[in-house]
Amino acid sequence: MLEGRNFTIYTDHKPLIHAFTQKHEKCSPRQIRHLYCIGQFSKYIRHISGSLNVVADSLSRISEIEIPSPIDYKEFAKAQLPNEEFQLLNSCTNFLKFQLLKVPGMDTELFCDVSTGICRPFVPKEFRPRIFETLHNLSHPGVKATVKFVGDRFLWPGYKKQVAEWTRCCVPCQRGKIQRHTVSPLGTYPVPRHRFDHVQIDLVGPLPPSRGYTYALTCVDRFSRWSEARY
C-alpha cells in the first residue's frame, strides 16, 4: 500500500521530525537501520500534538473500560462482599481505600480501590483467571506490561506474582515469541586469486514491478567486487 506513493508521517513525538537531519554518529546501529528502512518509503515527518492525534489513539489504545465485557457484573458484585480477602483488606488500616461505586451503564455497584486516583475493583478469586485472559489475550504483551495492564484496572492480593506466572505459562506467547535467538558464527571463505573465480548469486525482492518482474538476480565477483543485477 505504501510503495510508490508519496505520503507524510505525522507523530506526536516532536524529536522524531529531526531524525533524518541529524548526523549518523549520534545514532545507534539499530536506529540507523530503522531510519534506512523508513527512508525507502518517506522522509516527510511532521509534528502533530497528542490531543489532535486522534487516529493513532484510536488504533493503539484500548478503550477505557473498568470491567471486561465477558464478566457477569451481578455475580461479580455478589462474590465481593463475603470474600475473606476483601474483608481483611477492608478492615486493615493500610493505604488502600475502598468505596462502593456504580458500574457505568448498569445498576450494579462494586467495591473499588480509589487510593491511586484510579477506580480499581477488587477481584474475587473465581473471576481472576477470566479477567487475566480477557486483558492479556488482547495483544499478548510481556510479563511487565501485563502486570501493569492488570494492576492499573483491577486489584487483588498478590496479583503481580500471579499475573506474571500466568503470562509465562501462556501457550500462544510461547509459540509466537522467541526468547533465545540462535546466532550462527560467521563463515570463512578462501580469498579468490583471479577475477570471476568465485561469484556470489542471490535473489532480491519482492520489489516494485518493473516490466512485469518483481525480483532481481544479483551476481557479485568476490575478487573485483563487480556486481550485476538482472530482472
Side-chain angles (χ1 to χ4, degrees):
M1 295 177 62
L2 299 179
E3 288 181 344
R5 298 175 182 267
N6 294 324
F7 61 92
T8 303
I9 301 173
Y10 289 93
T11 176
D12 53 10
H13 189 58
K14 195 169 184 180
L16 287 180
I17 63 177
H18 306 290
F20 289 105
T21 59
Q22 63 181 346
K23 297 181 180 179
H24 283 188
E25 291 78 7
K26 297 182 179 180
C27 301
S28 65
R30 176 179 293 182
Q31 291 174 335
I32 295 176
R33 292 195 302 269
H34 288 177
L35 292 175
Y36 174 75
C37 180
I38 298 174
Q40 298 180 38
F41 297 93
S42 176
K43 293 186 178 180
Y44 301 100
I45 303 179
R46 301 291 183 268
H47 176 256
I48 180 173
S49 61
S51 59
L52 300 178
N53 200 5
V54 181
V55 178
D57 288 346
S58 61
L59 293 177
S60 63
R61 297 184 183 179
I62 301 173
S63 58
E64 296 182 357
I65 54 176
E66 298 298 334
I67 303 291
S69 57
I71 300 300
D72 188 341
Y73 305 143
K74 294 183 178 180
E75 294 296 329
F76 192 99
K78 290 180 181 179
Q80 272 190 329
L81 193 57
N83 188 276
E84 296 181 359
E85 293 178 329
F86 172 71
Q87 295 293 342
L88 181 61
L89 289 177
N90 194 24
S91 60
C92 292
T93 56
N94 50 26
F95 60 90
L96 298 178
K97 183 180 180 181
F98 288 100
Q99 291 184 3
L100 191 61
L101 301 177
K102 183 179 179 181
V103 177
M106 298 190 66
D107 296 332
T108 307
E109 293 182 340
L110 298 178
F111 286 96
C112 305
D113 171 48
V114 295
S115 60
T116 60
I118 303 175
C119 178
R120 299 189 301 168
F122 174 84
V123 183
K125 187 176 181 179
E126 57 269 26
F127 288 91
R128 295 169 188 175
R130 192 182 310 172
I131 285 179
F132 165 78
E133 293 174 359
T134 302
L135 296 179
H136 178 72
N137 291 350
L138 290 172
S139 59
H140 291 278
V143 174
K144 292 183 179 179
T146 304
V147 171
K148 185 178 184 304
F149 194 29
V150 175
D152 289 344
R153 290 159 176 80
F154 298 98
L155 173 70
W156 69 82
Y159 77 90
K160 293 183 178 180
K161 182 179 179 180
Q162 197 168 34
V163 170
E165 291 177 354
W166 287 343
T167 304
R168 294 188 184 98
C169 297
C170 179
V171 176
C173 288
Q174 295 177 5
R175 291 177 178 174
K177 296 182 180 179
I178 301 175
Q179 303 297 334
R180 297 182 61 184
H181 296 266
T182 302
V183 180
S184 302
L186 297 177
T188 56
Y189 303 95
V191 179
R193 297 182 179 181
H194 305 284
R195 289 181 297 173
F196 304 109
D197 278 352
H198 191 166
V199 179
Q200 295 177 328
I201 301 177
D202 193 10
L203 288 174
V204 180
L207 303 171
S210 176
R211 300 179 182 178
Y213 299 98
T214 57
Y215 287 85
L217 175 65
T218 60
C219 305
V220 180
D221 175 36
R222 290 190 59 234
F223 180 82
S224 62
R225 302 297 190 274
W226 180 268
S227 59
E228 293 281 350
R230 292 290 185 269
Y231 281 102

